[in-house]
PDB file of all heavy atoms in Angstrom:
ATOM      1  N   LEU A  76    -149.168 -99.772-151.422  1.00 95.00           N
ATOM      2  CA  LEU A  76    -150.100-100.129-152.536  1.00 95.00           C
ATOM      3  C   LEU A  76    -150.955-101.288-152.134  1.00 95.00           C
ATOM      4  O   LEU A  76    -152.196-101.223-152.397  1.00 95.00           O
ATOM      5  CB  LEU A  76    -149.272-100.395-153.785  1.00 95.00           C
ATOM      6  CG  LEU A  76    -148.613 -99.200-154.476  1.00 95.00           C
ATOM      7  CD1 LEU A  76    -147.757 -99.690-155.595  1.00 95.00           C
ATOM      8  CD2 LEU A  76    -149.692 -98.203-155.007  1.00 95.00           C
ATOM      9  N   SER A  77    -150.390-102.298-151.534  1.00 92.00           N
ATOM     10  CA  SER A  77    -151.175-103.451-151.108  1.00 92.00           C
ATOM     11  C   SER A  77    -152.215-103.100-150.041  1.00 92.00           C
ATOM     12  O   SER A  77    -153.342-103.536-150.117  1.00 92.00           O
ATOM     13  CB  SER A  77    -150.222-104.535-150.535  1.00 92.00           C
ATOM     14  OG  SER A  77    -149.327-104.918-151.523  1.00 92.00           O
ATOM     15  N   ALA A  78    -151.818-102.220-149.161  1.00 89.00           N
ATOM     16  CA  ALA A  78    -152.744-101.762-148.062  1.00 89.00           C
ATOM     17  C   ALA A  78    -153.914-100.962-148.684  1.00 89.00           C
ATOM     18  O   ALA A  78    -154.983-100.945-148.073  1.00 89.00           O
ATOM     19  CB  ALA A  78    -151.990-100.918-147.030  1.00 89.00           C
ATOM     20  N   GLN A  79    -153.650-100.381-149.819  1.00 92.00           N
ATOM     21  CA  GLN A  79    -154.726 -99.592-150.489  1.00 92.00           C
ATOM     22  C   GLN A  79    -155.527-100.448-151.438  1.00 92.00           C
ATOM     23  O   GLN A  79    -156.437 -99.960-152.121  1.00 92.00           O
ATOM     24  CB  GLN A  79    -154.127 -98.384-151.255  1.00 92.00           C
ATOM     25  CG  GLN A  79    -153.532 -97.439-150.360  1.00 92.00           C
ATOM     26  CD  GLN A  79    -152.835 -96.286-151.091  1.00 92.00           C
ATOM     27  OE1 GLN A  79    -153.493 -95.418-151.728  1.00 92.00           O
ATOM     28  NE2 GLN A  79    -151.473 -96.345-151.148  1.00 92.00           N
ATOM     29  N   GLY A  80    -155.334-101.724-151.501  1.00 91.00           N
ATOM     30  CA  GLY A  80    -156.074-102.648-152.275  1.00 91.00           C
ATOM     31  C   GLY A  80    -155.524-102.916-153.668  1.00 91.00           C
ATOM     32  O   GLY A  80    -156.085-103.703-154.455  1.00 91.00           O
ATOM     33  N   ALA A  81    -154.352-102.387-154.039  1.00 94.00           N
ATOM     34  CA  ALA A  81    -153.618-102.688-155.248  1.00 94.00           C
ATOM     35  C   ALA A  81    -152.647-103.815-155.086  1.00 94.00           C
ATOM     36  O   ALA A  81    -151.425-103.612-155.193  1.00 94.00           O
ATOM     37  CB  ALA A  81    -152.971-101.438-155.810  1.00 94.00           C
ATOM     38  N   ALA A  82    -153.215-104.953-154.767  1.00 92.00           N
ATOM     39  CA  ALA A  82    -152.343-106.138-154.378  1.00 92.00           C
ATOM     40  C   ALA A  82    -151.402-106.552-155.497  1.00 92.00           C
ATOM     41  O   ALA A  82    -150.231-106.833-155.198  1.00 92.00           O
ATOM     42  CB  ALA A  82    -153.254-107.285-153.909  1.00 92.00           C
ATOM     43  N   GLN A  83    -151.878-106.646-156.699  1.00 95.00           N
ATOM     44  CA  GLN A  83    -151.023-107.129-157.790  1.00 95.00           C
ATOM     45  C   GLN A  83    -149.848-106.134-158.032  1.00 95.00           C
ATOM     46  O   GLN A  83    -148.718-106.593-158.182  1.00 95.00           O
ATOM     47  CB  GLN A  83    -151.836-107.334-159.059  1.00 95.00           C
ATOM     48  CG  GLN A  83    -152.771-108.459-159.014  1.00 95.00           C
ATOM     49  CD  GLN A  83    -152.083-109.848-158.743  1.00 95.00           C
ATOM     50  OE1 GLN A  83    -150.984-110.068-159.231  1.00 95.00           O
ATOM     51  NE2 GLN A  83    -152.642-110.696-157.896  1.00 95.00           N
ATOM     52  N   GLN A  84    -150.168-104.863-158.049  1.00 97.00           N
ATOM     53  CA  GLN A  84    -149.105-103.859-158.241  1.00 97.00           C
ATOM     54  C   GLN A  84    -148.138-103.911-157.028  1.00 97.00           C
ATOM     55  O   GLN A  84    -146.948-103.849-157.228  1.00 97.00           O
ATOM     56  CB  GLN A  84    -149.740-102.495-158.375  1.00 97.00           C
ATOM     57  CG  GLN A  84    -148.801-101.415-158.816  1.00 97.00           C
ATOM     58  CD  GLN A  84    -149.471-100.131-159.059  1.00 97.00           C
ATOM     59  OE1 GLN A  84    -150.690 -99.921-158.770  1.00 97.00           O
ATOM     60  NE2 GLN A  84    -148.740 -99.050-159.468  1.00 97.00           N
ATOM     61  N   GLY A  85    -148.699-103.999-155.843  1.00 96.00           N
ATOM     62  CA  GLY A  85    -147.846-104.025-154.650  1.00 96.00           C
ATOM     63  C   GLY A  85    -146.945-105.243-154.600  1.00 96.00           C
ATOM     64  O   GLY A  85    -145.743-105.174-154.296  1.00 96.00           O
ATOM     65  N   MET A  86    -147.528-106.417-155.127  1.00 96.00           N
ATOM     66  CA  MET A  86    -146.755-107.629-155.162  1.00 96.00           C
ATOM     67  C   MET A  86    -145.557-107.493-156.085  1.00 96.00           C
ATOM     68  O   MET A  86    -144.479-108.005-155.854  1.00 96.00           O
ATOM     69  CB  MET A  86    -147.658-108.789-155.612  1.00 96.00           C
ATOM     70  CG  MET A  86    -147.269-110.157-155.155  1.00 96.00           C
ATOM     71  SD  MET A  86    -148.398-111.435-155.612  1.00 96.00           S
ATOM     72  CE  MET A  86    -149.830-111.022-154.662  1.00 96.00           C
ATOM     73  N   GLY A  87    -145.736-106.729-157.218  1.00 98.00           N
ATOM     74  CA  GLY A  87    -144.593-106.540-158.122  1.00 98.00           C
ATOM     75  C   GLY A  87    -143.476-105.774-157.429  1.00 98.00           C
ATOM     76  O   GLY A  87    -142.333-106.195-157.628  1.00 98.00           O
ATOM     77  N   TYR A  88    -143.745-104.786-156.672  1.00 98.00           N
ATOM     78  CA  TYR A  88    -142.676-104.065-155.984  1.00 98.00           C
ATOM     79  C   TYR A  88    -142.006-104.913-154.923  1.00 98.00           C
ATOM     80  O   TYR A  88    -140.780-104.922-154.760  1.00 98.00           O
ATOM     81  CB  TYR A  88    -143.273-102.853-155.298  1.00 98.00           C
ATOM     82  CG  TYR A  88    -143.502-101.670-156.272  1.00 98.00           C
ATOM     83  CD1 TYR A  88    -144.774-101.447-156.800  1.00 98.00           C
ATOM     84  CD2 TYR A  88    -142.497-100.758-156.606  1.00 98.00           C
ATOM     85  CE1 TYR A  88    -145.013-100.379-157.640  1.00 98.00           C
ATOM     86  CE2 TYR A  88    -142.745 -99.722-157.486  1.00 98.00           C
ATOM     87  CZ  TYR A  88    -143.976 -99.518-157.999  1.00 98.00           C
ATOM     88  OH  TYR A  88    -144.213 -98.453-158.861  1.00 98.00           O
TER      89      TYR A  88
END
Side-chain angles (χ1 to χ4, degrees):
L76 288 170
S77 299
Q79 294 176 73
Q83 291 300 320
Q84 190 178 4
M86 207 175 294
Y88 283 98

